[in-house]
Short mmCIF file of all heavy atoms in Angstrom, two decimals:
data_model
loop_
_atom_site.label_atom_id
_atom_site.label_comp_id
_atom_site.label_asym_id
_atom_site.label_seq_id
_atom_site.Cartn_x
_atom_site.Cartn_y
_atom_site.Cartn_z
N CYS J 1 144.93 84.93 158.00
CA CYS J 1 145.68 86.16 157.89
C CYS J 1 144.83 87.32 158.38
O CYS J 1 143.67 87.45 158.03
CB CYS J 1 146.08 86.38 156.43
SG CYS J 1 147.03 87.87 156.17
N ASP J 2 145.40 88.16 159.18
CA ASP J 2 144.72 89.33 159.71
C ASP J 2 145.09 90.53 158.84
O ASP J 2 146.25 90.91 158.75
CB ASP J 2 145.17 89.56 161.16
CG ASP J 2 144.54 90.77 161.80
OD1 ASP J 2 143.81 91.50 161.11
OD2 ASP J 2 144.79 90.98 162.99
N TRP J 3 144.10 91.13 158.18
CA TRP J 3 144.37 92.21 157.24
C TRP J 3 144.89 93.47 157.92
O TRP J 3 145.39 94.38 157.27
CB TRP J 3 143.13 92.53 156.42
CG TRP J 3 142.85 91.41 155.49
CD1 TRP J 3 141.85 90.48 155.61
CD2 TRP J 3 143.58 91.03 154.33
NE1 TRP J 3 141.92 89.56 154.60
CE2 TRP J 3 142.97 89.88 153.78
CE3 TRP J 3 144.70 91.54 153.69
CZ2 TRP J 3 143.45 89.25 152.65
CZ3 TRP J 3 145.17 90.91 152.56
CH2 TRP J 3 144.55 89.79 152.05
N SER J 4 144.82 93.54 159.25
CA SER J 4 145.38 94.71 159.93
C SER J 4 146.89 94.60 160.08
O SER J 4 147.55 95.54 160.47
CB SER J 4 144.73 94.86 161.32
OG SER J 4 145.07 93.75 162.13
N SER J 5 147.42 93.43 159.74
CA SER J 5 148.86 93.18 159.85
C SER J 5 149.51 93.29 158.48
O SER J 5 148.90 92.98 157.47
CB SER J 5 149.08 91.78 160.43
OG SER J 5 150.40 91.38 160.28
N ASP J 6 150.77 93.72 158.44
CA ASP J 6 151.50 93.80 157.18
C ASP J 6 152.01 92.44 156.71
O ASP J 6 152.25 92.23 155.54
CB ASP J 6 152.70 94.74 157.30
CG ASP J 6 152.27 96.19 157.39
OD1 ASP J 6 151.15 96.50 156.95
OD2 ASP J 6 153.05 97.00 157.89
N VAL J 7 152.19 91.51 157.63
CA VAL J 7 152.75 90.20 157.30
C VAL J 7 151.87 89.12 157.89
O VAL J 7 151.53 89.15 159.06
CB VAL J 7 154.18 90.05 157.87
CG1 VAL J 7 154.74 88.67 157.57
CG2 VAL J 7 155.09 91.13 157.31
N CYS J 8 151.49 88.16 157.04
CA CYS J 8 150.73 87.00 157.50
C CYS J 8 151.71 85.92 157.94
O CYS J 8 152.78 85.78 157.37
CB CYS J 8 149.87 86.44 156.37
SG CYS J 8 148.62 87.60 155.80
N SER J 9 151.33 85.14 158.92
CA SER J 9 152.22 84.08 159.38
C SER J 9 152.47 83.07 158.26
O SER J 9 153.54 82.49 158.18
CB SER J 9 151.65 83.37 160.60
OG SER J 9 150.39 82.79 160.29
N SER J 10 151.51 82.89 157.34
CA SER J 10 151.71 81.96 156.22
C SER J 10 152.78 82.47 155.26
O SER J 10 153.41 81.69 154.56
CB SER J 10 150.40 81.73 155.47
OG SER J 10 149.93 82.93 154.92
N ASP J 11 153.02 83.78 155.21
CA ASP J 11 154.06 84.35 154.35
C ASP J 11 155.45 83.99 154.85
O ASP J 11 156.41 83.96 154.09
CB ASP J 11 153.94 85.88 154.28
CG ASP J 11 152.70 86.34 153.54
OD1 ASP J 11 152.17 85.56 152.72
OD2 ASP J 11 152.27 87.47 153.80
N LEU J 12 155.58 83.73 156.13
CA LEU J 12 156.88 83.47 156.71
C LEU J 12 157.44 82.11 156.32
O LEU J 12 158.63 81.87 156.42
CB LEU J 12 156.81 83.59 158.23
CG LEU J 12 156.37 84.95 158.76
CD1 LEU J 12 156.25 84.91 160.28
CD2 LEU J 12 157.34 86.04 158.33
N SER J 13 156.58 81.21 155.83
CA SER J 13 157.02 79.88 155.47
C SER J 13 157.25 79.72 153.97
O SER J 13 157.36 78.62 153.47
CB SER J 13 156.01 78.84 155.96
OG SER J 13 154.77 79.04 155.29
N LYS J 14 157.31 80.81 153.24
CA LYS J 14 157.53 80.76 151.80
C LYS J 14 159.01 81.01 151.48
O LYS J 14 159.70 81.73 152.17
CB LYS J 14 156.67 81.80 151.10
CG LYS J 14 155.19 81.46 151.14
CD LYS J 14 154.39 82.43 150.33
CE LYS J 14 152.96 82.10 150.13
NZ LYS J 14 152.18 81.69 151.20
N THR J 15 159.47 80.37 150.40
CA THR J 15 160.82 80.58 149.90
C THR J 15 160.73 81.32 148.58
O THR J 15 159.95 80.92 147.70
CB THR J 15 161.54 79.23 149.70
OG1 THR J 15 161.57 78.54 150.95
CG2 THR J 15 162.95 79.44 149.20
N PHE J 16 161.48 82.38 148.42
CA PHE J 16 161.48 83.18 147.21
C PHE J 16 162.77 82.95 146.45
O PHE J 16 163.85 82.98 147.04
CB PHE J 16 161.32 84.67 147.56
CG PHE J 16 160.04 84.96 148.29
CD1 PHE J 16 159.97 84.88 149.67
CD2 PHE J 16 158.89 85.28 147.59
CE1 PHE J 16 158.79 85.13 150.34
CE2 PHE J 16 157.71 85.53 148.25
CZ PHE J 16 157.65 85.46 149.63
N SER J 17 162.67 82.74 145.12
CA SER J 17 163.85 82.51 144.29
C SER J 17 163.98 83.63 143.26
O SER J 17 162.97 84.07 142.70
CB SER J 17 163.71 81.18 143.54
OG SER J 17 163.55 80.12 144.45
N TYR J 18 165.20 84.04 143.02
CA TYR J 18 165.48 85.12 142.08
C TYR J 18 166.56 84.69 141.11
O TYR J 18 167.49 83.98 141.47
CB TYR J 18 165.95 86.37 142.82
CG TYR J 18 164.91 86.96 143.73
CD1 TYR J 18 164.76 86.49 145.04
CD2 TYR J 18 164.07 87.97 143.30
CE1 TYR J 18 163.79 87.03 145.88
CE2 TYR J 18 163.11 88.52 144.13
CZ TYR J 18 162.98 88.04 145.43
OH TYR J 18 162.03 88.57 146.26
N THR J 19 166.45 85.15 139.86
CA THR J 19 167.49 84.97 138.86
C THR J 19 167.72 86.32 138.19
O THR J 19 166.78 86.94 137.70
CB THR J 19 167.06 83.93 137.79
OG1 THR J 19 166.79 82.69 138.45
CG2 THR J 19 168.15 83.73 136.75
N ASN J 20 168.96 86.77 138.21
CA ASN J 20 169.31 88.08 137.63
C ASN J 20 168.41 89.19 138.14
O ASN J 20 168.03 90.09 137.39
CB ASN J 20 169.27 88.01 136.11
CG ASN J 20 170.26 87.03 135.55
OD1 ASN J 20 171.35 86.87 136.08
ND2 ASN J 20 169.89 86.36 134.47
N GLY J 21 168.04 89.14 139.42
CA GLY J 21 167.23 90.19 140.03
C GLY J 21 165.73 90.04 139.81
O GLY J 21 164.95 90.81 140.36
N ASN J 22 165.32 89.05 139.02
CA ASN J 22 163.89 88.82 138.77
C ASN J 22 163.37 87.70 139.66
O ASN J 22 164.01 86.66 139.80
CB ASN J 22 163.64 88.42 137.31
CG ASN J 22 163.89 89.54 136.35
OD1 ASN J 22 163.60 90.69 136.63
ND2 ASN J 22 164.43 89.21 135.20
N LEU J 23 162.19 87.90 140.23
CA LEU J 23 161.53 86.86 140.99
C LEU J 23 161.16 85.73 140.04
O LEU J 23 160.46 85.94 139.05
CB LEU J 23 160.28 87.39 141.67
CG LEU J 23 159.46 86.40 142.49
CD1 LEU J 23 160.27 85.91 143.69
CD2 LEU J 23 158.16 87.04 142.94
N THR J 24 161.65 84.51 140.29
CA THR J 24 161.39 83.39 139.40
C THR J 24 160.62 82.26 140.07
O THR J 24 160.14 81.36 139.40
CB THR J 24 162.71 82.81 138.85
OG1 THR J 24 163.56 82.47 139.95
CG2 THR J 24 163.39 83.81 137.93
N GLY J 25 160.47 82.32 141.38
CA GLY J 25 159.74 81.26 142.04
C GLY J 25 159.35 81.61 143.47
O GLY J 25 160.05 82.36 144.14
N VAL J 26 158.21 81.06 143.88
CA VAL J 26 157.75 81.17 145.26
C VAL J 26 157.26 79.78 145.66
O VAL J 26 156.41 79.21 144.99
CB VAL J 26 156.60 82.19 145.41
CG1 VAL J 26 156.15 82.28 146.86
CG2 VAL J 26 157.00 83.56 144.88
N THR J 27 157.83 79.26 146.72
CA THR J 27 157.45 77.93 147.17
C THR J 27 156.96 78.00 148.60
O THR J 27 157.61 78.59 149.46
CB THR J 27 158.66 76.97 147.09
OG1 THR J 27 159.15 76.96 145.75
CG2 THR J 27 158.27 75.56 147.49
N GLY J 28 155.79 77.40 148.83
CA GLY J 28 155.22 77.30 150.16
C GLY J 28 154.90 75.86 150.48
O GLY J 28 155.25 74.95 149.71
N ALA J 29 154.23 75.65 151.58
CA ALA J 29 153.93 74.29 152.03
C ALA J 29 153.09 73.53 151.01
O ALA J 29 153.32 72.35 150.77
CB ALA J 29 153.22 74.34 153.37
N GLU J 30 152.11 74.18 150.42
CA GLU J 30 151.19 73.49 149.50
C GLU J 30 151.18 74.10 148.11
O GLU J 30 150.43 73.65 147.25
CB GLU J 30 149.78 73.49 150.07
CG GLU J 30 149.66 72.78 151.40
CD GLU J 30 148.29 72.92 152.02
OE1 GLU J 30 147.41 73.57 151.42
OE2 GLU J 30 148.10 72.38 153.12
N THR J 31 151.97 75.14 147.89
CA THR J 31 151.94 75.83 146.60
C THR J 31 153.34 76.06 146.06
O THR J 31 154.31 76.16 146.81
CB THR J 31 151.25 77.20 146.71
OG1 THR J 31 152.01 78.04 147.57
CG2 THR J 31 149.83 77.08 147.23
N GLN J 32 153.41 76.13 144.74
CA GLN J 32 154.65 76.52 144.07
C GLN J 32 154.27 77.39 142.89
O GLN J 32 153.38 77.05 142.12
CB GLN J 32 155.43 75.31 143.59
CG GLN J 32 156.72 75.71 142.88
CD GLN J 32 157.52 74.51 142.41
OE1 GLN J 32 157.02 73.40 142.32
NE2 GLN J 32 158.78 74.75 142.11
N THR J 33 154.95 78.52 142.75
CA THR J 33 154.73 79.42 141.62
C THR J 33 156.05 79.59 140.89
O THR J 33 157.08 79.85 141.52
CB THR J 33 154.21 80.79 142.09
OG1 THR J 33 153.00 80.58 142.82
CG2 THR J 33 153.94 81.70 140.91
N VAL J 34 156.01 79.42 139.56
CA VAL J 34 157.19 79.59 138.72
C VAL J 34 156.90 80.71 137.72
O VAL J 34 155.86 80.69 137.05
CB VAL J 34 157.56 78.29 137.99
CG1 VAL J 34 158.73 78.52 137.05
CG2 VAL J 34 157.87 77.18 138.99
N ILE J 35 157.80 81.67 137.63
CA ILE J 35 157.62 82.82 136.74
C ILE J 35 158.75 82.81 135.72
O ILE J 35 159.91 82.69 136.08
CB ILE J 35 157.66 84.13 137.55
CG1 ILE J 35 156.60 84.10 138.65
CG2 ILE J 35 157.46 85.34 136.63
CD1 ILE J 35 156.80 85.14 139.73
N THR J 36 158.38 82.93 134.42
CA THR J 36 159.39 83.05 133.37
C THR J 36 159.26 84.42 132.72
O THR J 36 158.21 85.07 132.79
CB THR J 36 159.24 81.95 132.29
OG1 THR J 36 157.98 82.12 131.62
CG2 THR J 36 159.32 80.56 132.91
N TYR J 37 160.35 84.83 132.09
CA TYR J 37 160.43 86.17 131.52
C TYR J 37 160.81 86.11 130.04
O TYR J 37 161.53 85.19 129.62
CB TYR J 37 161.47 87.01 132.28
CG TYR J 37 161.05 87.28 133.70
CD1 TYR J 37 161.33 86.36 134.71
CD2 TYR J 37 160.35 88.43 134.04
CE1 TYR J 37 160.93 86.59 136.02
CE2 TYR J 37 159.96 88.67 135.34
CZ TYR J 37 160.25 87.74 136.33
OH TYR J 37 159.85 87.97 137.62
N ASN J 38 160.36 87.10 129.29
CA ASN J 38 160.78 87.27 127.91
C ASN J 38 162.14 87.98 127.90
O ASN J 38 162.58 88.52 128.92
CB ASN J 38 159.75 88.13 127.15
CG ASN J 38 158.40 87.45 127.08
OD1 ASN J 38 158.29 86.31 126.66
ND2 ASN J 38 157.37 88.16 127.50
N GLN J 39 162.79 88.00 126.73
CA GLN J 39 164.10 88.65 126.62
C GLN J 39 164.07 90.11 127.00
O GLN J 39 165.05 90.66 127.48
CB GLN J 39 164.66 88.49 125.21
CG GLN J 39 165.24 87.12 124.96
CD GLN J 39 165.97 87.08 123.62
OE1 GLN J 39 165.44 87.51 122.61
NE2 GLN J 39 167.18 86.56 123.64
N ASP J 40 162.92 90.78 126.80
CA ASP J 40 162.83 92.20 127.11
C ASP J 40 162.52 92.46 128.59
O ASP J 40 162.36 93.60 129.00
CB ASP J 40 161.79 92.90 126.22
CG ASP J 40 160.37 92.41 126.45
OD1 ASP J 40 160.15 91.53 127.31
OD2 ASP J 40 159.47 92.90 125.74
N GLY J 41 162.42 91.39 129.39
CA GLY J 41 162.20 91.55 130.83
C GLY J 41 160.75 91.50 131.26
O GLY J 41 160.47 91.52 132.46
N THR J 42 159.82 91.43 130.31
CA THR J 42 158.42 91.32 130.68
C THR J 42 158.11 89.88 131.10
O THR J 42 158.79 88.94 130.71
CB THR J 42 157.50 91.71 129.50
OG1 THR J 42 157.83 90.90 128.37
CG2 THR J 42 157.66 93.18 129.14
N VAL J 43 157.08 89.72 131.91
CA VAL J 43 156.69 88.39 132.37
C VAL J 43 156.08 87.60 131.22
O VAL J 43 155.20 88.10 130.51
CB VAL J 43 155.68 88.48 133.54
CG1 VAL J 43 155.17 87.10 133.94
CG2 VAL J 43 156.33 89.17 134.74
N ASN J 44 156.56 86.39 131.00
CA ASN J 44 156.05 85.52 129.95
C ASN J 44 154.97 84.60 130.51
O ASN J 44 153.85 84.59 130.01
CB ASN J 44 157.19 84.70 129.34
CG ASN J 44 156.73 83.80 128.22
OD1 ASN J 44 155.78 84.09 127.53
ND2 ASN J 44 157.40 82.68 128.05
N THR J 45 155.32 83.81 131.54
CA THR J 45 154.34 82.89 132.13
C THR J 45 154.41 82.93 133.65
O THR J 45 155.46 83.20 134.24
CB THR J 45 154.57 81.43 131.67
OG1 THR J 45 155.86 81.00 132.12
CG2 THR J 45 154.44 81.28 130.18
N VAL J 46 153.27 82.61 134.25
CA VAL J 46 153.17 82.41 135.69
C VAL J 46 152.44 81.09 135.86
O VAL J 46 151.28 80.96 135.46
CB VAL J 46 152.40 83.54 136.39
CG1 VAL J 46 152.28 83.27 137.88
CG2 VAL J 46 153.07 84.89 136.14
N ALA J 47 153.14 80.09 136.39
CA ALA J 47 152.54 78.78 136.61
C ALA J 47 152.43 78.53 138.11
O ALA J 47 153.43 78.54 138.82
CB ALA J 47 153.39 77.69 135.96
N LYS J 48 151.20 78.34 138.58
CA LYS J 48 150.98 78.11 140.01
C LYS J 48 150.45 76.70 140.21
O LYS J 48 149.44 76.33 139.60
CB LYS J 48 150.01 79.13 140.58
CG LYS J 48 149.82 79.01 142.08
CD LYS J 48 149.02 80.15 142.65
CE LYS J 48 148.98 80.07 144.17
NZ LYS J 48 148.28 81.23 144.73
N THR J 49 151.13 75.95 141.07
CA THR J 49 150.71 74.59 141.40
C THR J 49 150.23 74.55 142.83
O THR J 49 150.93 74.99 143.74
CB THR J 49 151.88 73.59 141.22
OG1 THR J 49 152.36 73.69 139.88
CG2 THR J 49 151.44 72.17 141.50
N VAL J 50 149.00 74.07 143.01
CA VAL J 50 148.42 73.92 144.34
C VAL J 50 147.97 72.48 144.48
O VAL J 50 147.13 72.02 143.68
CB VAL J 50 147.23 74.88 144.56
CG1 VAL J 50 146.63 74.68 145.95
CG2 VAL J 50 147.65 76.33 144.36
N ASN J 51 148.52 71.79 145.45
CA ASN J 51 148.16 70.39 145.70
C ASN J 51 148.21 69.55 144.43
O ASN J 51 147.32 68.73 144.17
CB ASN J 51 146.79 70.29 146.36
CG ASN J 51 146.79 70.90 147.75
OD1 ASN J 51 147.77 70.83 148.47
ND2 ASN J 51 145.69 71.52 148.11
N GLY J 52 149.22 69.75 143.59
CA GLY J 52 149.42 68.93 142.39
C GLY J 52 148.70 69.40 141.14
O GLY J 52 148.92 68.84 140.07
N THR J 53 147.88 70.42 141.22
CA THR J 53 147.18 70.94 140.05
C THR J 53 147.82 72.27 139.64
O THR J 53 147.93 73.18 140.46
CB THR J 53 145.69 71.18 140.35
OG1 THR J 53 145.12 69.93 140.76
CG2 THR J 53 144.96 71.72 139.14
N THR J 54 148.24 72.34 138.37
CA THR J 54 148.93 73.54 137.88
C THR J 54 148.03 74.34 136.96
O THR J 54 147.39 73.79 136.06
CB THR J 54 150.22 73.15 137.13
OG1 THR J 54 151.06 72.41 138.01
CG2 THR J 54 150.96 74.39 136.62
N VAL J 55 148.00 75.65 137.17
CA VAL J 55 147.33 76.59 136.28
C VAL J 55 148.41 77.54 135.77
O VAL J 55 149.15 78.12 136.56
CB VAL J 55 146.22 77.38 137.00
CG1 VAL J 55 145.64 78.46 136.09
CG2 VAL J 55 145.13 76.43 137.49
N THR J 56 148.51 77.66 134.44
CA THR J 56 149.52 78.52 133.83
C THR J 56 148.85 79.71 133.16
O THR J 56 147.88 79.54 132.41
CB THR J 56 150.35 77.74 132.79
OG1 THR J 56 150.98 76.64 133.44
CG2 THR J 56 151.40 78.63 132.14
N LYS J 57 149.36 80.87 133.42
CA LYS J 57 148.91 82.10 132.76
C LYS J 57 150.03 82.57 131.84
O LYS J 57 151.17 82.73 132.28
CB LYS J 57 148.57 83.18 133.78
CG LYS J 57 147.41 82.78 134.68
CD LYS J 57 147.12 83.83 135.71
CE LYS J 57 145.99 83.37 136.61
NZ LYS J 57 145.70 84.33 137.67
N THR J 58 149.71 82.74 130.56
CA THR J 58 150.67 83.23 129.58
C THR J 58 150.28 84.65 129.21
O THR J 58 149.15 84.89 128.79
CB THR J 58 150.69 82.32 128.33
OG1 THR J 58 151.00 80.98 128.75
CG2 THR J 58 151.72 82.79 127.33
N LEU J 59 151.21 85.57 129.36
CA LEU J 59 150.94 86.97 129.10
C LEU J 59 151.44 87.35 127.72
O LEU J 59 152.52 86.93 127.30
CB LEU J 59 151.63 87.84 130.16
CG LEU J 59 151.04 87.78 131.57
CD1 LEU J 59 151.29 86.45 132.24
CD2 LEU J 59 151.58 88.91 132.42
N SER J 60 150.64 88.12 126.99
CA SER J 60 151.01 88.61 125.66
C SER J 60 151.05 90.13 125.68
O SER J 60 150.28 90.77 126.38
CB SER J 60 150.00 88.13 124.61
OG SER J 60 149.99 86.72 124.55
N TYR J 61 151.94 90.66 124.86
CA TYR J 61 152.16 92.10 124.84
C TYR J 61 152.07 92.64 123.43
O TYR J 61 152.38 91.95 122.46
CB TYR J 61 153.55 92.42 125.40
CG TYR J 61 153.73 91.94 126.82
CD1 TYR J 61 154.12 90.63 127.09
CD2 TYR J 61 153.51 92.80 127.89
CE1 TYR J 61 154.28 90.19 128.40
CE2 TYR J 61 153.67 92.36 129.20
CZ TYR J 61 154.05 91.06 129.44
OH TYR J 61 154.20 90.62 130.74
N SER J 62 151.64 93.89 123.31
CA SER J 62 151.62 94.61 122.05
C SER J 62 152.36 95.92 122.28
O SER J 62 151.94 96.73 123.11
CB SER J 62 150.18 94.86 121.60
OG SER J 62 150.17 95.62 120.42
N ASN J 63 153.48 96.09 121.59
CA ASN J 63 154.30 97.28 121.76
C ASN J 63 154.70 97.51 123.21
O ASN J 63 154.70 98.63 123.72
CB ASN J 63 153.59 98.53 121.21
CG ASN J 63 153.36 98.43 119.72
OD1 ASN J 63 154.22 97.97 118.98
ND2 ASN J 63 152.18 98.82 119.28
N GLY J 64 154.99 96.40 123.93
CA GLY J 64 155.44 96.49 125.30
C GLY J 64 154.35 96.67 126.33
O GLY J 64 154.62 96.78 127.52
N ILE J 65 153.08 96.68 125.90
CA ILE J 65 151.96 96.86 126.79
C ILE J 65 151.19 95.55 126.88
O ILE J 65 150.88 94.92 125.84
CB ILE J 65 151.03 98.00 126.31
CG1 ILE J 65 151.81 99.32 126.30
CG2 ILE J 65 149.80 98.11 127.19
CD1 ILE J 65 151.08 100.46 125.65
N LEU J 66 150.86 95.11 128.09
CA LEU J 66 150.12 93.88 128.28
C LEU J 66 148.81 93.94 127.51
O LEU J 66 148.02 94.88 127.66
CB LEU J 66 149.83 93.66 129.77
CG LEU J 66 149.07 92.38 130.13
CD1 LEU J 66 149.89 91.15 129.76
CD2 LEU J 66 148.73 92.38 131.61
N SER J 67 148.59 92.96 126.63
CA SER J 67 147.38 92.97 125.79
C SER J 67 146.45 91.81 126.08
O SER J 67 145.26 91.91 125.83
CB SER J 67 147.76 92.97 124.31
OG SER J 67 148.54 91.82 123.99
N SER J 68 146.98 90.70 126.62
CA SER J 68 146.09 89.58 126.96
C SER J 68 146.78 88.62 127.91
O SER J 68 148.01 88.57 128.00
CB SER J 68 145.64 88.84 125.70
OG SER J 68 146.73 88.17 125.10
N ILE J 69 145.94 87.85 128.60
CA ILE J 69 146.41 86.78 129.47
C ILE J 69 145.60 85.54 129.11
O ILE J 69 144.37 85.57 129.11
CB ILE J 69 146.21 87.13 130.96
CG1 ILE J 69 146.97 88.41 131.32
CG2 ILE J 69 146.64 85.96 131.84
CD1 ILE J 69 146.70 88.92 132.72
N THR J 70 146.32 84.46 128.78
CA THR J 70 145.68 83.19 128.45
C THR J 70 145.91 82.23 129.60
O THR J 70 147.03 82.05 130.06
CB THR J 70 146.28 82.59 127.16
OG1 THR J 70 146.13 83.56 126.11
CG2 THR J 70 145.59 81.31 126.77
N VAL J 71 144.82 81.62 130.07
CA VAL J 71 144.91 80.68 131.18
C VAL J 71 144.77 79.27 130.65
O VAL J 71 143.86 78.97 129.88
CB VAL J 71 143.81 80.97 132.23
CG1 VAL J 71 143.88 79.97 133.38
CG2 VAL J 71 143.93 82.39 132.74
N SER J 72 145.68 78.41 131.07
CA SER J 72 145.59 77.00 130.65
C SER J 72 145.91 76.10 131.81
O SER J 72 146.40 76.51 132.83
CB SER J 72 146.53 76.73 129.50
OG SER J 72 147.87 77.01 129.86
#
């Protein structure tokens, strides 16, 4: 990717999925990202799989403000 460009050629081969206006997934040749949301619309989890290995980040909030991210 050339940082002087706004779009990388690798971005062109990704598929973006939306549910109720929220981004819920990004799929590429070797990667898949799944995003879930809490009832209040904040991001609950982001799970990224690369070549069969998944890393999940769970976001926690306090009074609507992001307070921690747990990686598993």
Side-chain angles (χ1 to χ4, degrees):
C1 181
D2 179 356
W3 291 106
S4 65
S5 167
D6 288 338
V7 178
C8 297
S9 60
S10 62
D11 292 337
L12 300 176
S13 64
K14 291 186 172 46
T15 301
F16 299 89
S17 302
Y18 296 85
T19 302
N20 298 325
N22 291 323
L23 179 65
T24 55
V26 180
T27 303
E30 299 174 0
T31 64
Q32 179 179 17
T33 302
V34 176
I35 304 163
T36 64
Y37 294 85
N38 297 307
Q39 282 188 311
D40 65 1
T42 56
V43 174
N44 181 29
T45 62
V46 178
K48 184 171 186 176
T49 303
V50 179
N51 295 325
T53 301
T54 302
V55 174
T56 300
K57 297 178 182 177
T58 303
L59 289 70
S60 298
Y61 301 85
S62 177
N63 297 318
I65 298 171
L66 181 64
S67 59
S68 68
I69 300 173
T70 303
V71 179
S72 59

